[in-house]
């Protein structure tokens, strides 16, 4: 039985305990079990089966409030996330300041698969510059590894999970080797218009990269590249690749995919890992501490079984935390001992420091060219057929902010929702009656939205720590957040607004709402984009970083981190693909050390 | 509860000028429970199942008239009330969430204003007005930038009510058909825009 209860797990011998079941934990469990290690995965939330539970074809009139977002379901009723959001009942976090601009809102998903159930599936590689940002502009930190170290793992992850895209040969926007990418979906008419008119402004518009199978994975050739010399692993993944369906061009990915055509940990990483027979999973296991042995090594973890409320300790030869950057930090800081009075792995005092999110700002416009078009199906892969990579590397230093952003955009005649045909007064002059119905038809599908996603530079004022007083309902001390954007981020957000307005205008369109020229108003609050990384950064020096280049804590040799916590920078590229590539890299290293009997 | 939403709402409420007359009233809050973070997604829900509804018979009559003034039946599709939009509005303003509670105040006060205005101008309840009389009132409040000062609050109500009516209407099968939405069905391939579409926008 792969899904087991806490008592059974406590009596079993494991090589590695993996805390967390999302992108980092899923990849870790996959690579370790394929490599022969016996793994226990602990997930704080409930079990979740997207094949049985995903509400794919449900339409808004079947849902409460027509599926509108609520504080319970911030991304709409049918969003696949359950037991998650910016607030989780009974599990608070606190803000160090009452200043609204200094708050960090922490998104969590307490469920098997974690945030991979919800994410946008945007899968961009960091480029060579993104690993060495300090060398380029003197700000933030370099990674102790470079693009060449990560590239083979990007290749593998793309082949394993299935990522569509194209190779455009653009600066710091890496191409993938032959055989890695699936073909991109055909652009929508709105994409083609952005391509044409943004192109006239010198802004490149290229195929998006998302983890969606635009055709079946290459189960004949990829397995040997993924697991050279390991026929058992090749057979397992070939069989699983055959079972995953290709996209059938309907339903939003965020509602989950029962045919397994997109990546979420539960449909891609966990099934083959379970097929090895080497993986056990305990859900509802709220890990609060990594326990320390007398030899100074991690002896295992301690967790609270949320169903029985019992305290349980489990041991293993090595522990990997992949609980999401902030939860990993929380576990480390709550793991106090005489040897590590300020938390495990925290000799540097850097645990919790350099927390980052992504700079976000958006703006939409109405495009007369798109009005009253002949009806046609525009669902496609439900997002990002095309995008704009950062295009002004040559202008760095002249823009007033150091780092770049990419632009995600989208239009189309989508499934009407509660926002459809609303807020039209600025176009209609306040029509109602028969005229309003005509206006609704005319403007439906004529809007294009632009969202900037930019790099935040780590700073001393953005971090989390343990709140000295507040505990959650399990009695576990909670995180307290400190947050501050620098001008590098706020100016970038203002630049995004101007760029979006320029593109909309070039398309002959009209901007909807206000173009925010004040960056402090243009920028989304910290945590909004849900790209939390940092907090336990990797480096070459034990005094200034928490983990070494292998994401092994400097203090405890058999404790590794495999989520976004070790990121020393947060490139504009969405972090998930890099979390997976890095996790595979770390997993390979753990396997090697185990073979050398070092763990 | 999402603190950010709550705070956003509180700030917006604090920034809004105090209404006068019926718009200053604050209706009783609903005490119902939210559906929580792990609701059954595959159930089909109907208004009134998760929390009790609000509209009295009189409020319902007025709400129906206004819905259908905004989205009347035409050759393409039925009226808003014919596809359950009044039930949706009632579900919406009865929901235990901050955004919906804000709309509860706007909608209940607005419907009351409409009743009073109808009585004041025509000595009749709203549902007895003829089309010309109803439009006389609607024309005064349908576009906030041009509303006279004494109609500003009513125009804010109308804008919100029109949005909610549209939300309710276009999320029904009849509303989707009206907009000629095509989708929510599996396809063997995705072929992109047809040639006639590309021609129309100058891309072919």
């Amino acid at each position: 039985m792969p899904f087991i209860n806490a008592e059974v797990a406590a009596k079993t011998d494991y090589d590695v305990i993996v805390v967390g079941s999302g992108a980092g934990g899923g990849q870790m469990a996959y690579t370790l079990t394929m490599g022969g290690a016996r793994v226990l995965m602990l997930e704080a939330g409930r079990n979740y089966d997207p094949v049985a539970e995903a509400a794919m074809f449900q339409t808004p009139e079947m849902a409460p409030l027509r599926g509108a977002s609520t504080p319970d379901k911030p991304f709409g009723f049918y969003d696949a996330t359950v037991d998650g959001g910016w607030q989780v009942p009974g599990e608070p976090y606190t803000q160090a300041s009452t200043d609204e601009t200094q708050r960090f809102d922490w998104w969590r998903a307490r469920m098997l698969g974690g945030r991979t159930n919800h994410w946008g599936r945007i899968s961009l590689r960091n480029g060579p510059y993104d690993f060495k940002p300090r060398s380029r502009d003197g700000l933030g930190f370099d990674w102790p590894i470079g693009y060449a170290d990560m590239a083979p793992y990007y290749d593998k992850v793309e082949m394993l999970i299935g990522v569509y895209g194209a190779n455009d040969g653009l600066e710091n926007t890496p191409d993938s080797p032959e055989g890695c990418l699936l073909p991109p979906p055909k652009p929508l008419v709105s994409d083609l218009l952005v391509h044409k008119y943004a192109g006239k402004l010198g802004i490149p518009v290229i195929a998006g990269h998302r983890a969606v199978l635009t055709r079946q994975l290459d189960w004949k050739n990829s397995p040997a590249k993924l697991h050279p010399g390991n026929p058992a692993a090749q057979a397992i993944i070939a069989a699983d690749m055959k079972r995953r369906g290709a996209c059938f061009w309907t339903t939003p990915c965020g509602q989950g995919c029962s045919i397994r055509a997109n990546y979420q940990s539960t449909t891609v990483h966990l099934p083959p890992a379970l097929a090895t027979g080497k993986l056990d999973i305990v859900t509802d296991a709220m890990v609060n501490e990594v326990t320390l042995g007398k030899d100074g090594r991690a002896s295992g973890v301690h967790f609270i079984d949320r169903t029985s409320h019992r305290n349980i300790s489990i041991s293993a030869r090595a522990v990997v935390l992949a609980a999401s950057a902030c939860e990993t930090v929380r576990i480390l800081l709550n793991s106090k001992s005489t040897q590590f009075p300020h938390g495990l792995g925290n000799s540097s005092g850097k645990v919790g420091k350099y927390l980052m999110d992504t700079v976000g700002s958006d703006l939409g416009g109405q495009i007369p060219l798109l009005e009253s078009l002949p009806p046609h199906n525009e669902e496609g892969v439900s997002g990002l057929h095309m995008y704009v990579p950062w295009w002004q590397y040559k202008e760095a230093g002249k823009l007033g902010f150091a780092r770049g952003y990419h632009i995600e955009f989208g239009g189309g005649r989508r499934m009407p929702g509660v926002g459809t045909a609303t807020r039209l007064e600025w176009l209609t002059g306040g029509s109602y009656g028969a005229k309003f119905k005509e206006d609704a038809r005319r403007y439906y599908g004529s809007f294009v939205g632009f969202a900037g996603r930019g790099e935040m530079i780590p700073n001393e004022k953005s971090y989390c720590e343990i709140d000295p007083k507040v505990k959650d309902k399990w009695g576990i001390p909670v995180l307290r957040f400190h947050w501050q954007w620098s001008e590098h981020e706020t100016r970038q957000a203002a630049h995004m607004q101007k760029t979006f307005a320029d593109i909309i205008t070039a398309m002959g369109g009209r901007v909807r709402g206000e173009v925010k020229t004040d960056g402090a108003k243009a920028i989304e609050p910290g945590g909004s984009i849900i790209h939390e990384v940092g907090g336990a950064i990797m480096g070459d020096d034990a005094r200034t970083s928490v983990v070494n280049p292998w994401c092994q804590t400097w203090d405890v040799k058999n404790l590794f981190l495999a989520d976004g916590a070790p990121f020393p920078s947060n490139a504009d590229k969405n972090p998930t693909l890099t979390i997976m590539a890095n996790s595979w890299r770390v997993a390979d290293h753990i396997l090697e050390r185990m073979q050398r009997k070092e763990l | 509860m999402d603190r950010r939403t709550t705070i956003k709402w509180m700030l917006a409420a604090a920034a809004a000028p105090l209404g006068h007359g019926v718009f200053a009233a604050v209706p009783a809050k609903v005490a119902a429970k939210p559906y929580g973070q792990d609701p059954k997604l595959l159930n089909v829900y109907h208004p009134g199942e998760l929390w009790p509804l609000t509209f009295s018979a009189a409020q319902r009559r007025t709400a129906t008239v206004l819905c259908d003034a905004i989205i009347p039946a035409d050759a393409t599709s039925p009226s808003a009330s014919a596809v359950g939009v009044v039930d949706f509005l009632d579900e919406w303003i009865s929901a235990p969430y901050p955004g919906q509670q804000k709309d509860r105040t706007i909608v209940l006060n607005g419907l009351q204003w409409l009743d009073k205005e109808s009585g004041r101008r025509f000595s009749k309840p709203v549902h007895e007005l003829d089309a010309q009389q109803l439009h006389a009132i609607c024309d005064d409040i349908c576009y906030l930038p041009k509303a006279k000062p004494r109609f500003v609050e009513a125009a804010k109500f109308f804008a919100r009510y029109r949005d909610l009516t549209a939300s309710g209407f276009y999320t029904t099968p009849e509303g989707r058909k009206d907009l000629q939405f095509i989708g929510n069905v599996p396809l063997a391939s995705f072929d992109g825009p047809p040639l006639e579409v590309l021609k129309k926008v100058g891309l072919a």
Side-chain angles (χ1 to χ4, degrees), chain A residues 515-539:
Chain A
V515 182
K516 298 192 181 82
T517 48
D518 178 354
K521 289 186 178 135
I523 199 165
E524 296 278 343
S528 303
I529 311 301
I530 321 181
H531 288 170
E532 115 211 5
V533 299
I537 66 171
M538 68 169 105

Side-chain angles (χ1 to χ4, degrees), chain A residues 243-463:
Chain A
R243 280 195 287 267
R244 289 184 62 195
C247 182
F248 51 26
W249 314 106
T250 188
T251 80
C253 290
Q255 292 179 200
C257 192
S258 61
I259 63 166
R260 305 170 62 200
N262 63 32
Y263 169 81
Q264 56 202 79
S265 170
T266 42
T267 56
V268 178
H269 277 139
L270 300 186
L274 288 166
T276 64
K278 302 272 186 188
L279 175 65
D280 284 344
I281 300 174
V282 177
T283 54
D284 296 297
M286 184 77 187
V287 174
N288 61 328
E289 190 183 341
V290 176
T291 49
L292 194 66
K294 284 178 185 152
D295 56 359
R297 290 179 167 230
S299 57
V301 303
H302 180 268
F303 68 90
I304 296 157
D305 178 353
R306 295 162 70 112
T307 48
S308 69
H309 291 220
R310 286 184 53 197
N311 287 287
I312 294 173
S313 287
I314 297 203
S315 56
R317 292 162 67 193
V319 174
V320 178
L321 298 181
S324 83
C326 294
E327 192 70 41
T328 287
V329 164
R330 183 183 177 201
I331 293 168
L332 289 174
L333 291 177
N334 277 329
S335 303
K336 290 181 183 169
S337 57
T338 15
Q339 200 177 340
F340 298 103
H342 305 295
L344 205 56
N346 197 21
S347 296
S348 61
K350 296 293 187 190
V351 174
K353 300 296 195 295
Y354 311 119
L355 180 60
M356 291 163 271
D357 190 24
T358 287
V359 179
S361 191
D362 55 59
L363 191 69
Q366 193 274 332
I367 313 296
L369 271 174
L370 293 170
E371 287 172 21
S372 306
L373 286 182
H376 60 290
N377 185 312
E378 296 204 273
E379 293 197 301
V381 290
S382 86
L384 209 78
H385 287 214
M386 301 190 87
Y387 87 114
V388 175
W390 177 240
W391 68 101
Q392 302 204 67
Y393 290 105
K394 299 278 187 285
E395 308 301 315
K398 296 180 206 160
L399 296 168
F401 56 93
R403 308 276 172 81
Y405 60 89
H406 70 264
I407 307 172
E408 302 171 5
F409 61 86
R413 301 168 64 91
R414 305 275 170 192
M415 167 74 77
V418 286
T420 300
T422 65
R423 299 193 300 135
L424 292 180
E425 295 86 353
W426 66 293
L427 297 167
T428 64
S431 66
Y432 66 92
K435 175 68 168 44
F436 177 77
K437 290 179 90 168
E438 285 167 25
D439 285 337
R441 289 165 202 143
R442 173 181 170 185
Y443 294 116
Y444 169 59
S446 74
F447 297 91
V448 179
F450 295 83
R453 294 291 179 259
E455 177 161 358
M456 173 191 179
I457 299 168
N459 67 60
E460 301 292 336
K461 291 176 178 171
S462 299
Y463 63 99

Side-chain angles (χ1 to χ4, degrees), chain A residues 1-18 32-33 36-42 277-282 298-301 303 312-319 558 594 599:
Chain A
M1 273 295 288
F3 285 93
I4 60 172
N5 66 34
E7 281 75 15
V8 175
K11 289 177 198 147
T12 310
D13 286 330
Y14 295 103
D15 294 318
V16 183
I17 292 170
V18 176
L32 290 177
T33 55
R38 185 138 180 81
V39 174
L40 174 67
M41 172 179 276
L42 298 173
K278 302 272 186 188
L279 175 65
D280 284 344
I281 300 174
V282 177
S299 57
V301 303
F303 68 90
I312 294 173
S313 287
I314 297 203
S315 56
R317 292 162 67 193
V319 174
N558 63 338
M594 284 189 161
L599 286 173

Side-chain angles (χ1 to χ4, degrees), chain A residues 66 72 379 418 432 437 441, chain B residues 38 72 97 139 167-168 178 184:
Chain A
R66 304 293 165 92
D72 281 334
E379 293 197 301
V418 286
Y432 66 92
K437 290 179 90 168
R441 289 165 202 143
Chain B
D38 191 8
Y97 296 108
D139 288 344
S167 299
D178 181 302
N184 211 37

Side-chain angles (χ1 to χ4, degrees), chain A residues 46 52-55 57-62 64-66 68 70-73 77-79 82-84 86-89 100 103 105 186-189 192-193 196 248-251 369 371-377 379-380 385 413-418 420-423 425 429-434 436-437 440-441 444 525 528, chain B residues 1-4 7 34-45 50-51 69-74 76-78 84 88 91-92 95 97-98 100 135 138-139 142-143 158-159 162-163 166-173 176 178-194 196-198 200-203:
Chain A
R46 74 162 171 88
E53 297 190 56
F57 288 96
Q58 270 66 11
T59 43
E61 79 282 7
M62 301 174 188
L65 306 172
R66 304 293 165 92
T70 64
D72 281 334
K73 297 282 288 186
F77 188 74
Y78 288 129
D79 182 77
V82 299
D83 292 333
W86 277 286
Q87 295 295 333
V88 174
E100 279 300 303
R103 56 183 297 117
D105 290 289
K186 293 216 171 63
L188 308 183
V189 60
L192 294 169
L193 286 178
K196 176 177 174 181
F248 51 26
W249 314 106
T250 188
T251 80
L369 271 174
E371 287 172 21
S372 306
L373 286 182
H376 60 290
N377 185 312
E379 293 197 301
H385 287 214
R413 301 168 64 91
R414 305 275 170 192
M415 167 74 77
V418 286
T420 300
T422 65
R423 299 193 300 135
E425 295 86 353
S431 66
Y432 66 92
F436 177 77
K437 290 179 90 168
R441 289 165 202 143
Y444 169 59
S528 303
Chain B
M1 185 174 295
D2 177 354
R3 283 183 65 187
R4 207 150 41 113
I7 286 161
Y35 53 64
Q37 291 189 319
D38 191 8
K40 293 195 183 315
L41 300 187
L42 302 182
N43 284 9
V44 175
Y45 294 85
L50 288 172
W51 41 78
I70 292 165
I71 298 188
D74 65 5
T76 307
S77 62
F88 160 72
E91 177 204 23
W92 185 274
Y97 296 108
Q100 282 72 17
H135 288 167
C138 289
D139 288 344
C142 69
Y143 188 46
F158 192 90
R162 176 172 44 210
D163 279 357
S167 299
F169 183 76
Y170 293 109
T171 49
T172 61
R176 287 194 286 275
D178 181 302
L179 293 178
Q180 297 185 276
F181 164 73
I182 300 172
N184 211 37
V185 287
L187 302 176
S189 64
F190 181 74
D191 301 326
E196 60 167 331
V197 170
L198 296 177
K200 198 154 182 268
V201 300
L203 289 171

Side-chain angles (χ1 to χ4, degrees), chain A residues 66, chain B residues 47 53-57 59-68 79-94 107 111 161 164-165 168-169:
Chain A
R66 304 293 165 92
Chain B
L53 301 180
T54 299
F55 283 158
S56 66
Q59 284 168 327
R60 208 179 158 79
R61 268 201 300 272
T62 305
T64 304
V65 171
L66 190 54
C67 267
D68 290 350
S79 71
S81 72
V83 296
V85 172
V86 179
D87 299 320
F88 160 72
L89 286 167
D90 203 353
E91 177 204 23
W92 185 274
I93 64 155
S94 307
V107 168
L111 292 175
Y161 198 89
L164 289 172
T165 300
F169 183 76

